[in-house]
Amino acid sequence: MANTVHSEEIYGLDYKAAFVPAERGRDWGYVWGQCRNGYMPGLPTDFDALVKVAGVHAREYDRAILYADPDMMLAAMAGFKACVIQANGGDPFASEDGPSAPGPRIRAALRAKPGEVPHWGQTGEFLVEHNGIKAVVCYSGLESFMGASLHAATKTGPFVSETGYRSLSGVQPIYGTSLDEAAAEWIDALLHKQPAVFINAKHRKDPTEEFPWLSPADMAAPEVFQDKGGQMAFLF
């Protein structure tokens, strides 16, 4: 494989990420093939050790996004995926099938603390306040199918939908940003399509039922706001 880019002691292992490409521009199929055939067989089989290695790849993924390096990004994705499959006995089948499967278990072990902004390789949930919107961003982490979602941090809004929820399934990372910075850009993109609205009465609920780490200040909401078009909205 390509030249080693770093080494790190993990559970007594001299872990070497040897597949960040020296040659640039390789596609996913090539990177994954190199990783699967030349890297995965040497991974440990112990779950805790694999969590540590997966955590290194998750950090590599974050750095790749911050530095806008698509080659390193693919390599980190491949390394993380290899850890998940190795934890499943080397078989990709059902490796992401439910919370007891290796993929969800590894992401849960690496999860950021509730309320803390995760890095791009982590699962987590955190508050973002931007452009009049208070939302809890739920991010599912590296190599997950779920993407991200926005949940109203206030009972009434204003919010990006009348339901107090908006799926961002399939959302792509934004190079050069942290996850909270990207979330602000996602909100701007939604507001560009549709102005903020108050949450419909039948969808209003206490946000702490789902996110108990929210504080009263986090959940404070106005009874009137002005949308980007200059129109005033009043809570009824």
Side-chain angles (χ1 to χ4, degrees), residues 111-123:
R111 184 182 183 92
K113 293 180 181 179
E116 291 187 359
V117 179
H119 63 69
W120 279 105
Q122 282 183 304
T123 301

Side-chain angles (χ1 to χ4, degrees), residues 36-93:
R36 179 190 60 220
N37 299 325
Y39 173 69
M40 191 170 74
L43 285 172
T45 56
D46 176 74
F47 182 80
D48 289 338
L50 285 168
V51 168
K52 295 290 287 185
V53 178
V56 174
H57 290 303
R59 279 291 186 184
E60 290 174 343
Y61 182 75
D62 182 60
R63 287 195 294 270
I65 294 171
L66 293 177
Y67 290 103
D69 188 335
D71 297 279
M72 185 178 180
M73 185 175 173
L74 288 180
M77 291 168 63
F80 191 95
K81 182 181 181 75
C83 291
V84 170
I85 293 175
Q86 186 79 335
N88 201 47
D91 185 357
F93 180 73

Side-chain angles (χ1 to χ4, degrees), residues 132-136 151-165 194-208 214 216-225 233-236:
I133 302 297
K134 289 187 175 185
V136 174
H151 305 251
T154 69
K155 186 178 292 187
T156 59
F159 198 62
V160 295
S161 75
E162 291 186 347
T163 64
Y165 170 81
Q194 176 182 314
V197 294
F198 280 117
I199 297 169
N200 188 287
K202 67 181 179 180
H203 294 293
R204 293 173 190 165
K205 59 183 179 180
D206 182 352
T208 60
L214 286 169
D218 293 335
M219 297 183 291
E223 294 190 0
V224 59
F225 70 92
F234 296 86
L235 177 62
F236 295 101

